[in-house]
Amino acid sequence: IAVHCLGDEATLRRWLVYDPRQRVQGWRFASYMLLHSNALHLALNVVIQLVLATPLEVEQGRIGVATIYLGGGVCGALGASLLQPSLFLVGASAGVYALLTSHLAHLYLCHGELRYAGWRLGAVLLLASADVASLPIPALLGCGRVGWAAHVAGALAGPLLGLAVFPNQSKKDARGRRFVRFVRLLSAISVMLLVVGAILGNIYLIALPQLRKPS
């Protein structure tokens, strides 16, 4: 279940939007996902979430999918805070990207038991390619800047989080359970290091230098 709000109410925007000037308010790295700039933005994200998350929930469970969705959103905001440090963020696109690319982890873990695995992989690559190709469109139409850094960070987080949290894997796995456990552990450590690094980057590269500037 995903809860969304259209981002028209001033009070909601003030408290939930990711505002780079208020990056010390940690909840904004997740709460921005509840806001959307317009009805089309909201509808696209909800529809894509349903398409991507439903098969994952059936095959990997709700908790894992929810973790990837929220974790992808947080990672997206962290990525944007470093690579596009002046950009305000609304929307759940980073979480949606994480859901999309987490299918790669799902295909890896359950490769021997999934039906139509090749078609699934093709669909993931096709959706990712189409979305990347559409990134310049809002700027060309004069609709404002696109949070490409959030999209990229969410997409990178998806497979890593999927490998770390998805509970199910192929019982016919000839590669050995030890190797899969190693891959899972490596993915979990990578996510933690990237998140900690992004937090430290926000503190030491952006927040502290701003505080030291003369008023």
Side-chain angles (χ1 to χ4, degrees):
I1 297 175
V3 179
H4 297 274
C5 299
L6 290 175
D8 296 327
E9 175 60 44
T11 301
L12 285 175
R13 290 187 68 87
R14 186 167 64 249
W15 286 102
L16 299 181
V17 68
Y18 172 75
D19 183 344
R21 300 167 302 182
Q22 303 291 340
R23 66 183 68 229
V24 295
Q25 298 174 345
W27 71 82
R28 294 180 183 272
F29 286 86
S31 63
Y32 80 98
M33 299 173 68
L34 300 174
L35 294 173
H36 285 76
S37 56
N38 52 54
L40 178 61
H41 189 200
L42 172 64
L44 283 174
N45 271 333
V46 170
V47 169
I48 296 173
Q49 280 181 56
L50 290 173
V51 171
L52 295 175
T54 300
L56 282 178
E57 281 197 9
V58 172
E59 294 165 344
Q60 291 289 357
R62 298 174 184 173
I63 295 177
V65 172
T67 301
I68 288 169
Y69 175 64
L70 294 174
V74 171
C75 289
L78 286 170
S81 68
L82 293 175
L83 299 176
Q84 293 179 291
S86 63
L87 187 68
F88 287 68
L89 291 178
V90 294
S93 296
V96 172
Y97 269 90
L99 288 175
L100 173 64
T101 56
S102 71
H103 278 266
L104 299 176
H106 178 51
L107 288 169
Y108 171 77
L109 292 172
C110 301
H111 74 287
E113 299 177 353
L114 291 177
R115 298 180 64 187
Y116 311 114
W119 287 102
R120 289 190 182 198
L121 177 60
V124 169
L125 296 177
L126 180 62
L127 282 171
S129 301
D131 208 89
V132 170
S134 69
L135 283 178
I137 293 177
L140 294 175
L141 296 177
C143 299
R145 297 171 65 191
V146 175
W148 60 265
H151 295 181
V152 171
L156 292 176
L160 294 175
L161 287 169
L163 289 170
V165 305
F166 279 156
N168 298 326
Q169 67 183 65
S170 175
K171 297 177 182 177
K172 305 174 183 178
D173 200 339
R175 295 161 298 182
R177 294 185 179 274
R178 286 187 178 180
F179 180 73
V180 175
R181 283 199 297 267
F182 170 75
V183 172
R184 286 180 176 276
L185 178 62
L186 184 62
S187 298
I189 293 173
S190 298
V191 170
M192 288 188 289
L193 290 176
L194 289 171
V195 169
V196 170
I199 292 172
L200 293 176
N202 269 278
I203 294 172
Y204 291 104
L205 298 179
I206 299 176
L208 289 181
Q210 288 178 349
L211 291 175
R212 291 169 183 162
K213 286 182 179 179
S215 56

